[in-house]
Amino acid sequence: MNDPVVTRYATLADVEHAVDIHTRARLAYYQAGGLTADAVQDPAVREAQRDGWTEAIESPDKRVLCATISDDIVGVAAMGPPLAATPDTSRAGQLYQIHVVPGRWGNGIGSVLHAAFLDYLTEADLSLGLIEVWERNTRALAFYTRHGWQPDGGSRPGPDGSRYLFLRLAR
């Protein structure tokens, strides 16, 4: 029997799970993009992730979700107001990140978390979704393209001479 993917709001008790999944997924996609494990793994980054997940869970303006299968946390997502305010983002929400346990990629968990982001946009009456994706994370770029996201032409510097691309989803 295949148990369904269920989402629930994250609590502070989930922070270590979120950091672990974030770390494992980040390591997998950066290595797939050509970076070494040494370039990706840094205790200071892990501590910053812990602080970031804690802040997001505690924030009244952000939403953090856990995706579970049979009570096992297999993915996490964070969303909320845009991180950078520009005139055309007043009706926007940002998908800060989706991370799925690497061994579970391709099983629909990310799509369930993405659907929860769409629910967030609807509930907040927002017409635009924003996200940044590392240009070498071809798996994530394909995922977001399948879900209707389009590049907006913007980017910012990334590791190893790469870029983070800005994508938008009009609703």
Side-chain angles (χ1 to χ4, degrees):
M1 178 172 138
N2 289 337
D3 291 326
V5 178
V6 176
T7 60
R8 63 168 175 77
Y9 287 99
T11 69
L12 290 176
D14 299 316
V15 169
E16 289 306 316
H17 292 288
V19 171
D20 180 60
I21 293 169
H22 185 169
T23 299
R24 292 168 58 196
R26 183 175 178 268
L27 180 62
Y29 69 73
Y30 275 135
Q31 285 184 301
L35 296 180
T36 65
D38 289 341
V40 176
Q41 294 177 322
D42 179 348
V45 170
R46 191 168 175 94
E47 191 59 36
Q49 289 172 348
R50 185 174 290 106
D51 292 346
W53 284 105
T54 299
E55 182 273 326
I57 289 169
E58 291 179 327
S59 172
D61 300 321
K62 296 177 181 176
R63 184 177 293 183
V64 178
L65 300 172
C66 292
T68 64
I69 298 176
S70 299
D71 296 326
D72 291 329
I73 299 175
V74 294
V76 292
M79 59 207 72
L83 296 176
T86 61
D88 66 338
T89 61
S90 63
R91 303 293 310 146
Q94 187 160 349
L95 180 54
Y96 305 130
Q97 50 197 334
I98 289 178
H99 297 292
V100 174
V101 172
R104 302 268 193 160
W105 289 355
N107 291 307
I109 298 163
S111 292
V112 169
L113 289 166
H114 184 268
F117 174 70
L118 298 179
D119 291 344
Y120 163 76
L121 292 178
T122 299
E123 291 165 18
D125 194 28
L126 300 171
S127 58
L128 179 66
L130 306 172
I131 193 167
E132 295 180 14
V133 180
W134 187 44
E135 68 183 351
R136 294 187 196 169
N137 190 344
T138 56
R139 184 180 194 92
L141 286 169
F143 172 85
Y144 291 113
T145 298
R146 280 193 311 276
H147 287 289
W149 294 78
Q150 300 289 320
D152 76 357
S155 67
R156 68 177 177 88
D160 195 34
S162 65
R163 309 287 303 166
Y164 291 102
L165 305 176
F166 300 161
L167 306 180
R168 291 174 178 241
L169 178 67
R171 296 193 61 247

